[in-house]
Amino acid sequence: MKPIQVGLLGIGTVGGGVFTVLERNQDEITRRAGRGIRINTVADLNVERAKELVKDRAQVVSDARAVINNPEIDIVVELIGGYGIAKDLVLEAIAAGKHVVTANKALIAVHGNEIFKAAHEKGVMVAFEAAVAGGIPIIKALREGLTANRIEWIAGIINGTTNFILSEMRDKGLDFATVLKEAQRLGYAEADPTFDIEGVDAAHKATIMSAIAFGIPMQFEKAHVEGITKLDAIDIKYAEQLGYRIKLLGIAKKTATGVELRVHPTLIPTKRLIANVEGAMNAVQVFGDAVGTTLYYGKGAGSEPTASAVIADLVDITRLLGASPESRVPYLAFQPDAVRDITVLPMGEITTSYYLRLRVADQAGVLADITKILAAHSISIDALLQKEADEGESQTDLVALTHETKEKHMLAAIQEIQNLKTVAGEVVKIRLENLS
Amino acid sequence: MKPIQVGLLGIGTVGGGVFTVLERNQDEITRRAGRGIRINTVADLNVERAKELVKDRAQVVSDARAVINNPEIDIVVELIGGYGIAKDLVLEAIAAGKHVVTANKALIAVHGNEIFKAAHEKGVMVAFEAAVAGGIPIIKALREGLTANRIEWIAGIINGTTNFILSEMRDKGLDFATVLKEAQRLGYAEADPTFDIEGVDAAHKATIMSAIAFGIPMQFEKAHVEGITKLDAIDIKYAEQLGYRIKLLGIAKKTATGVELRVHPTLIPTKRLIANVEGAMNAVQVFGDAVGTTLYYGKGAGSEPTASAVIADLVDITRLLGASPESRVPYLAFQPDAVRDITVLPMGEITTSYYLRLRVADQAGVLADITKILAAHSISIDALLQKEADEGESQTDLVALTHETKEKHMLAAIQEIQNLKTVAGEVVKIRLENLS
């Protein structure tokens, strides 16, 4: 049988990986897919570099539209990234009747609803395994592996840069700025690391997983996005003393009143497997009502790990080319007409536990005042860590872990605590998830 | 659209879970599958108990063949277990043109080749996600998620009973027999635990994974099967001191000369994520040449976790009912005509590292004699742990970790070491895998 013809838009890090792996493993891939998968044409603005990479084994063009409009090509792989030209090209490819594979999380999280609608109308497949957690087949697990379940929550370490930074901060006791520089030097963080360290990248991925898990549209604009730039090394240390580790988690949770969709630093018990995911590795923990906890771990970025996910999508599409749309897995796991518009809750309405750190006067009655305020807001304390004041100091650190409460109650309590004369500086609040 | 009609053979623990979860989550499942999935008939020898369970929501019969020959039924789910009647019924169901879902690892590992051949000729699907690692979608990850990769090795904690026992032995410093009794009392081990503690169950699952990962036939009869019954608590303690944990691993590895397929207690570095999988939980680590290390974790047994896998298979089959066989994922990940008969290596030919414990005379020159023998067999030592002899004792424990070598060389070396006058008792040998 004639090999499936693929057009590649962009041959940077990931595109190069796709090209290399398809060639190196063509025997295994063909034995699995039932027919060959061949890169027919590569479109890249840097034609010279692209030609050097692919040699004479594929055509190289500078114009992406030459790929999209090439009648020989069955599947277009978009590896340009970003929301701009990538969106236009994906929509044009769909309009031209091409199936599409993309690794572009920003595009799917922000414009996914429009893209899937267009693809559904045109009857083409759009696959995006590489958009979340790189080489880990988490989209497949959520869309197909856990179909029996009501998925209750997902919590993921889905940004390698920030996990590397947090691991280093804890290991070496260094502060954020120092470790960020080190990460940039080692290539774990980009020159402009904003999307990573501010949590935007993780929020894109959490948005995509929330849609697939709960059968809701993409609602990136409603996600709470909070990065790790304000995290203090001392809180990592105190958390450790209390048996917790701080990770940047992407969280999607379904509650009786709506969906929680949030990215923020989070204390998790050290004994949980996911707390021990170190360095640039990714992991996603999924809780389904039938299966209980499952966890998926692997490399979340990089040339060949991401290519692994892109090619898995190519194989899936290759198999289903001749089948009718009903035989395909729905884009968002749920049939298009079964997607329901469930509210993403504002942050005041989310329920979680908290780590609080306060700078307090080292005198009698301080703790009583604070616990009284928390109690008045129905917030109960799970654990306390009170340091002896250092020699000659009149203030000391007080750390409290609370049980679950609504965020709005916690914010109200913190405001009152902040007004106490015995409390100095700002109250540090970090959310805590038990993940059991 | 009319719901898919399912016939259930056996409604014990897993069957009950399938029934319960299908009913409880029917809304979500239908929204995903595009049509309802309904248990039409349940066959169970204990008709009364089955009727009590399903009430009037499905027919109950005692004769499995009444399900197989029922023209209304599209998919037969075999949950009887074992190689006996289950094999006949699965082959009869296939002959009757039914698609089959099974959770029966023994059946697939031992008779899979025959079953898939029959299913291929008849053009029906046979799915078995629940046969390996319960609720973890590991079959899907291997068959579909990692299709881009040459899978190099798999190492799995795929038997919850033995992992529970090993966790307890380590935590509490107890010996095997004591913990086994406790495990039986708690329901983590069966009254006759032979298949679990002797490694047979893990070998079934490792066999299935080896076939899917490498595109080879099931070769259970060639698997090396070694359980945990002879494991001594002292070795768990020494391993811990050296930075390792002992787990019963199912290992499948592809080498230049063949396939390694083996189940045995294994030292793994404590810092590996999989070393921290405790209690009855399962985890499978897979190394692919493109993706690197990935890991899949969750409950490997139990009513609803296993039902989660069975129902995922039902949804997959439901989607593909109208499609031609080419659109399906091949039974063993590779197209039937692309499965290759690669040799499973005899144990003498496998390559691994070793933990050795020797009871030696507490005198000069002993260590030199031993290292000389190892060196003569080209085995180098990675780490040594030599205990001071206890007060009044003339012998002491010597523990050595070696670098990789062929098992036959190690056995030859051990035989020579055993003959040394300064070595008492039997040399304890446990294999060690670095899993990086």
Side-chain angles (χ1 to χ4, degrees):
Chain A
M1 203 186 282
K2 184 168 172 279
I4 288 289
Q5 303 294 308
V6 175
L8 219 57
L9 308 186
I11 189 158
T13 307
V14 177
V18 171
F19 195 84
T20 306
V21 174
L22 266 181
E23 196 159 87
R24 186 176 72 224
N25 294 348
Q26 61 179 315
D27 173 56
E28 308 254 333
I29 294 167
T30 307
R31 287 170 61 204
R32 290 185 177 111
R35 63 192 283 192
I37 297 176
R38 191 179 159 267
I39 308 261
N40 177 300
T41 309
V42 172
D44 199 294
L45 291 178
N46 193 336
V47 172
E48 284 320 303
R49 214 197 38 143
K51 277 191 174 162
E52 215 166 284
L53 237 158
V54 309
K55 307 272 174 351
D56 55 353
R57 296 188 292 271
Q59 293 183 66
V60 175
V61 296
S62 65
D63 178 12
R65 285 169 178 106
V67 170
I68 290 170
N69 298 319
N70 182 340
E72 277 184 15
I73 286 174
D74 306 294
I75 309 175
V76 171
V77 178
E78 182 274 306
L79 299 171
I80 298 167
Y83 327 89
I85 181 75
K87 183 191 172 193
D88 298 337
L89 293 175
V90 163
L91 288 172
E92 285 175 39
I94 290 168
K98 308 296 189 199
H99 303 288
V100 173
V101 174
T102 177
N104 190 335
K105 46 234 158 202
L107 178 66
I108 297 294
V110 176
H111 299 294
N113 301 327
E114 182 181 348
I115 288 167
F116 296 127
K117 186 165 177 287
H120 180 61
E121 282 164 10
K122 194 73 189 179
V124 298
M125 294 177 260
V126 175
F128 52 95
E129 180 64 79
V132 181
I136 308 172
I138 181 66
I139 298 294
K140 188 168 278 288
L142 287 170
R143 290 207 315 180
E144 305 174 43
L146 303 177
T147 43
N149 293 267
R150 266 183 282 177
I151 293 173
E152 299 185 1
W153 53 262
I154 296 174
I157 296 173
I158 43 183
N159 181 272
T161 304
T162 46
N163 202 53
F164 174 83
I165 291 173
L166 292 176
S167 294
E168 290 285 296
M169 285 176 74
R170 183 178 63 85
D171 267 9
K172 303 183 177 159
L174 296 171
D175 65 17
F176 172 77
T178 309
V179 177
L180 174 60
K181 275 197 200 108
E182 174 74 358
Q184 286 174 315
R185 199 181 60 78
L186 292 171
Y188 285 116
E190 299 189 41
D192 177 0
T194 315
F195 261 38
D196 292 316
I197 62 178
E198 296 292 2
V200 180
D201 176 73
H204 285 146
K205 296 165 182 167
T207 298
I208 295 172
M209 291 197 287
S210 74
I212 293 172
F214 308 135
I216 59 176
M218 301 284 170
Q219 300 176 73
F220 172 71
E221 69 285 358
K222 293 185 192 156
H224 172 82
V225 187
E226 192 181 325
I228 61 167
T229 53
K230 286 170 195 150
L231 204 60
D232 203 319
I234 189 72
D235 294 310
I236 294 176
K237 202 176 126 202
Y238 285 150
E240 205 74 11
Q241 287 171 18
L242 289 158
Y244 291 82
R245 210 154 273 181
I246 300 182
K247 295 289 183 186
L248 183 70
L249 290 189
I251 296 171
K253 198 181 280 193
K254 198 170 169 194
T255 74
T257 49
V259 167
E260 299 183 4
L261 179 55
R262 47 193 169 98
V263 172
H264 52 69
T266 316
L267 273 77
I268 47 182
T270 305
K271 64 184 170 193
R272 299 274 175 268
L273 209 58
I274 194 170
N276 296 284
V277 171
E278 299 292 351
M281 300 302 282
N282 281 20
V284 180
Q285 190 172 340
V286 182
F287 191 92
D289 69 335
V291 77
T293 277
T294 59
L295 179 137
Y296 310 85
Y297 166 87
K299 287 185 182 149
S303 173
E304 294 204 0
T306 311
S308 172
V310 168
I311 295 170
D313 280 346
L314 289 174
V315 172
D316 278 354
I317 292 178
T318 298
R319 281 208 194 99
L320 288 164
L321 269 187
S324 71
E326 294 76 51
S327 297
R328 301 172 189 162
V329 181
Y331 307 107
L332 296 180
F334 292 74
Q335 301 291 332
D337 59 5
V339 170
R340 289 177 194 163
D341 204 349
I342 303 175
T343 322
V344 172
L345 297 169
M347 277 304 275
E349 297 299 322
I350 72 141
T351 302
T352 187
S353 303
Y354 292 86
Y355 161 102
L356 301 176
R357 173 168 56 86
L358 306 86
R359 192 75 190 154
V360 298
D362 189 23
Q363 66 186 55
V366 172
L367 186 58
D369 289 344
I370 292 165
T371 53
K372 205 174 124 189
I373 292 173
L374 289 172
H377 291 275
S378 306
I379 298 168
S380 59
I381 292 176
D382 181 40
L384 269 178
L385 184 71
Q386 188 156 18
K387 309 287 288 184
E388 294 271 324
D390 289 334
E391 193 87 33
E393 291 259 358
S394 62
Q395 295 181 337
T396 184
D397 280 348
L398 174 69
V399 174
L401 306 185
T402 76
H403 286 291
E404 285 195 342
T405 181
K406 275 202 179 168
E407 176 127 334
K408 63 181 175 190
H409 299 145
M410 180 51 78
L411 293 178
I414 288 176
Q415 195 157 38
E416 285 180 40
I417 290 170
Q418 197 83 71
N419 288 338
L420 290 172
K421 288 215 179 68
T422 48
V423 173
E426 218 179 325
V427 175
V428 172
K429 164 200 96 205
I430 306 175
R431 297 174 193 93
L432 182 155
E433 295 283 342
N434 201 40
L435 300 187
S436 68
Chain B
M1 202 187 282
K2 183 168 171 280
I4 288 289
Q5 302 295 309
V6 175
L8 219 57
L9 307 186
I11 188 157
T13 307
V14 177
V18 171
F19 196 85
T20 306
V21 174
L22 266 181
E23 194 159 88
R24 184 176 74 224
N25 293 349
Q26 61 178 314
D27 174 57
E28 309 254 333
I29 294 168
T30 307
R31 286 168 62 204
R32 290 186 177 112
R35 62 192 286 194
I37 297 175
R38 192 180 158 267
I39 308 261
N40 178 298
T41 308
V42 171
D44 200 293
L45 290 178
N46 193 335
V47 172
E48 284 319 303
R49 214 196 40 143
K51 278 192 172 159
E52 215 167 283
L53 237 158
V54 310
K55 304 268 172 0
D56 54 353
R57 296 189 293 270
Q59 293 182 65
V60 175
V61 296
S62 64
D63 179 11
R65 285 169 178 107
V67 171
I68 291 170
N69 298 318
N70 182 341
E72 277 184 15
I73 287 174
D74 307 294
I75 310 174
V76 170
V77 178
E78 183 274 307
L79 299 171
I80 298 167
Y83 327 88
I85 182 74
K87 184 192 170 193
D88 297 337
L89 294 175
V90 163
L91 288 173
E92 285 177 37
I94 290 167
K98 308 297 189 198
H99 304 288
V100 172
V101 174
T102 177
N104 190 336
K105 46 234 160 202
L107 179 66
I108 297 295
V110 177
H111 299 294
N113 301 326
E114 183 182 348
I115 287 167
F116 297 126
K117 186 165 177 285
H120 180 62
E121 282 164 11
K122 193 73 190 179
V124 298
M125 294 178 259
V126 174
F128 51 96
E129 179 65 77
V132 181
I136 309 171
I138 181 65
I139 299 293
K140 189 169 278 287
L142 286 171
R143 289 207 315 180
E144 307 174 42
L146 303 177
T147 44
N149 292 267
R150 264 184 283 177
I151 294 173
E152 299 185 0
W153 53 263
I154 298 174
I157 296 173
I158 44 183
N159 180 271
T161 304
T162 46
N163 202 53
F164 175 83
I165 292 173
L166 293 176
S167 294
E168 291 285 297
M169 285 175 74
R170 184 178 62 84
D171 267 11
K172 302 184 178 160
L174 296 171
D175 64 18
F176 172 76
T178 309
V179 176
L180 174 60
K181 276 196 201 108
E182 174 75 358
Q184 286 174 315
R185 200 181 58 77
L186 292 171
Y188 285 114
E190 300 190 40
D192 178 0
T194 315
F195 261 39
D196 293 316
I197 62 177
E198 295 293 1
V200 179
D201 176 75
H204 285 147
K205 296 164 182 167
T207 299
I208 296 172
M209 291 196 289
S210 74
I212 294 172
F214 308 135
I216 59 175
M218 301 285 168
Q219 301 177 71
F220 172 70
E221 69 287 357
K222 293 186 193 154
H224 171 83
V225 187
E226 192 180 324
I228 61 167
T229 54
K230 286 170 196 150
L231 205 60
D232 203 318
I234 189 73
D235 294 310
I236 294 176
K237 203 177 126 201
Y238 286 149
E240 205 76 12
Q241 288 171 17
L242 289 158
Y244 291 81
R245 209 155 276 182
I246 299 182
K247 296 288 184 186
L248 183 70
L249 290 189
I251 296 171
K253 198 181 281 191
K254 199 170 169 194
T255 74
T257 50
V259 167
E260 299 183 5
L261 178 56
R262 46 191 168 100
V263 172
H264 51 70
T266 316
L267 272 78
I268 46 182
T270 306
K271 66 183 172 195
R272 299 275 175 268
L273 209 57
I274 193 169
N276 296 284
V277 171
E278 299 292 350
M281 299 301 282
N282 281 20
V284 180
Q285 190 173 340
V286 182
F287 190 92
D289 70 334
V291 76
T293 277
T294 59
L295 179 138
Y296 310 84
Y297 165 87
K299 286 185 181 148
S303 173
E304 293 203 1
T306 311
S308 172
V310 168
I311 295 170
D313 280 345
L314 289 174
V315 172
D316 278 354
I317 292 178
T318 298
R319 281 207 194 99
L320 288 165
L321 269 188
S324 71
E326 296 76 53
S327 297
R328 302 173 190 162
V329 182
Y331 306 107
L332 297 179
F334 292 76
Q335 301 291 332
D337 60 4
V339 170
R340 288 176 194 164
D341 204 350
I342 303 175
T343 321
V344 171
L345 297 169
M347 277 306 274
E349 298 299 322
I350 71 142
T351 302
T352 186
S353 303
Y354 292 86
Y355 161 102
L356 302 176
R357 173 168 57 85
L358 305 86
R359 192 76 189 153
V360 297
D362 189 24
Q363 65 186 58
V366 174
L367 186 58
D369 289 343
I370 292 165
T371 52
K372 205 175 126 191
I373 293 173
L374 290 171
H377 291 274
S378 304
I379 299 167
S380 59
I381 292 175
D382 181 41
L384 269 178
L385 184 72
Q386 186 157 18
K387 309 288 287 184
E388 293 271 325
D390 289 335
E391 192 88 34
E393 292 259 358
S394 63
Q395 295 180 337
T396 183
D397 281 348
L398 174 69
V399 174
L401 306 185
T402 77
H403 286 292
E404 284 193 343
T405 181
K406 275 204 181 165
E407 176 126 334
K408 63 182 173 189
H409 299 146
M410 180 51 80
L411 292 179
I414 287 176
Q415 196 157 36
E416 286 181 38
I417 290 170
Q418 198 82 71
N419 290 337
L420 290 173
K421 287 217 179 67
T422 47
V423 172
E426 217 178 327
V427 175
V428 172
K429 163 201 97 203
I430 307 176
R431 298 176 191 91
L432 181 155
E433 294 284 342
N434 200 40
L435 301 187
S436 68

